[in-house]
Structure formats: C-alpha cells, structure tokens
Amino acid sequence: MSGISTHILDLALGCPAAGVGVKLLLWKNKSWVEIAAQRTDIDGRCRELLPLSEMSASIYRIVIDSGGYFGVSREPGLYPDISITFDVRDATTGYHMPLLLSPNGYTTYRGS
C-alpha cells in the first residue's frame, strides 16, 4: 500500500492528465520542505509519492504544475499551480489525493 499518492484527471478532455509535474512537501520547523517530485504516468497517476514506511503524522502539501500542463496541451489555465494541503493524523494508513482538473476549476478529495 502506498503512503501518499495522487491521480489527476483532465475533465475537459475526459482523460488522465499524463506528464503533470507533482511535488510533495512536508511542513517541518515552520517551513515547507520538498521531499518528492514526480510526473504523472500515462494513467495520470503518481502511485507512490511517499511510501507508507516513510510517513509520519504531519502536514503535507501536494503541488501540481497545472500551468505547465495546460501550457503544453492547449489554452493556458486559470491556476498556474494547485496546492492540496492535508493533515496526516494516522501514518499507518494511505492517503490517496485525486484531483479533477479543468482549465478554469478543480476538485479534490480523499480517495481510496
């Protein structure tokens, strides 16, 4: 089981958002520290931004380069990046954070 993962779907095109830059940051000593960086695979997934064995109870942030994605694929989007900040209270379970993305809006939730 993955500790922290994400899945990005392009709602405008109705397909996975492949090749999107994704960073994972950890809130530590009153500042953000980058602990992982990946690109989504062909299915729009970063299957393991952080292994479960490396997780701790803390605040994490996923930063998605939506501006880079929309700049390459077509029209520029409204949001140059999207941050999903969440509190891991139970570090023994996975946190899957999907993102539904369009040029002018987005939705996120805790998935399974």
Side-chain angles (χ1 to χ4, degrees), residues 3 8 14 23 27 43 45 56 59 66-69 72 77 81 87 97 109 111:
I8 304 173
K23 293 180 183 178
W27 183 247
D43 193 33
R45 295 178 184 273
S56 61
I59 298 175
S66 51
Y69 172 71
V72 167
D81 63 58
D87 190 358
M97 308 301 291
Y109 57 95

Side-chain angles (χ1 to χ4, degrees), residues 3-4 24-28 35 50-60 86-93 95:
I4 297 175
L24 179 64
L25 292 83
L26 170 68
W27 183 247
K28 187 174 183 177
I35 58 173
L50 187 67
L52 189 60
S53 62
E54 295 178 22
M55 280 182 51
S56 61
S58 190
I59 298 175
Y60 292 86
F86 56 101
D87 190 358
V88 170
R89 294 186 183 130
D90 180 3
T92 65
T93 187
Y95 284 75

Side-chain angles (χ1 to χ4, degrees), residues 56-76:
S56 61
S58 190
I59 298 175
Y60 292 86
R61 177 176 285 170
I62 296 174
V63 179
I64 291 113
D65 181 17
S66 51
Y69 172 71
F70 285 116
V72 167
S73 64
R74 57 190 180 286
E75 68 190 76

